[in-house]
Amino acid sequence: GALGVELCIEAGPGDVLAFLGGERDIHDAADLLARMPAARGGEVLPLYARLPAAEQARVFRPAQARRIVLATNVAETSLTVPGIRFVVDSGVARVARWSGKSRGLRLPVERVSQAAADQRRGRCGRVGPGTCVRLYGEDDFLSREPFTAPELLRTNLANVILQMKALGLGEVSGFPFIDAPSPRHVAEGLETLVELGAGD
């Protein structure tokens, strides 16, 4: 990621938004950029969900120096960082996935979908010409899933089942979801509720 940022810095003036896989990648890239002569004089700003709100707010303030924002996928759709001219896309993100086997939520680093990559590309050039540097090839891009799987298909359904019951929407198994969860995921959600003493 840091090398992609260096390419953008050498290409001309403008703020840079780099999408990285997680907090550790952000801190490693920040350390590397601090040692790169091309990045000196720029303001390196981390951006991830667990960052305190005051630190996140720094990303939205105008700066005299070039801003280099190192972000997770939180900057894909949740918010817009103003003034970005360059985007560096590592092509990966941490994605929440429920594991019925371990009975817990995992956050593996995975390749983003084509739609997510296009969303990232769209973060630059909103107020003028922009450039996106993808750190992966076109064949890699074309081999990716077209869209990110809906969260409903990736997480435990216990909360969804409770909300549906509270709203009187009937049984989950008969609800006309656009992307219906598998019977196995529904069963795991019901099991979780029984374990918590919230099942029927």
Side-chain angles (χ1 to χ4, degrees), residues 88-110:
V88 177
D89 180 10
S90 67
V92 297
R94 287 202 178 275
V95 179
R97 292 209 180 268
W98 173 257
S99 170
K101 188 175 183 179
S102 66
R103 308 290 291 164
L105 197 62
R106 300 179 305 116
L107 286 167
V109 174
E110 299 179 1

Side-chain angles (χ1 to χ4, degrees), residues 52-164:
E55 291 293 309
Q56 290 186 31
R58 293 176 57 209
V59 170
F60 304 103
R61 291 189 206 119
Q64 299 298 326
R66 177 198 300 263
R67 294 177 312 147
I68 302 167
V69 180
L70 306 176
T72 60
N73 56 341
V74 72
E76 263 175 40
T77 56
S78 303
L79 47 86
T80 299
V81 179
I84 297 299
R85 172 141 185 239
F86 298 97
V87 164
V88 177
D89 180 10
S90 67
V92 297
R94 287 202 178 275
V95 179
R97 292 209 180 268
W98 173 257
S99 170
K101 188 175 183 179
S102 66
R103 308 290 291 164
L105 197 62
R106 300 179 305 116
L107 286 167
V109 174
E110 299 179 1
R111 297 187 322 160
V112 299
S113 68
Q114 291 180 21
D118 287 341
Q119 188 79 23
R120 290 175 172 193
R121 182 188 66 202
R123 300 285 108 182
C124 66
R126 292 185 169 229
V127 294
T131 302
C132 178
V133 176
R134 288 183 173 151
L135 303 180
Y136 49 97
E138 186 175 1
D139 289 344
D140 185 345
F141 173 78
L142 294 172
S143 71
R144 293 168 183 244
E145 291 293 323
F147 301 99
T148 305
E151 188 173 356
L152 180 71
L153 304 181
R154 297 184 278 113
T155 59
N156 185 291
L157 295 178
N159 189 43
V160 172
I161 294 168
L162 275 179
Q163 287 180 345
M164 288 182 68

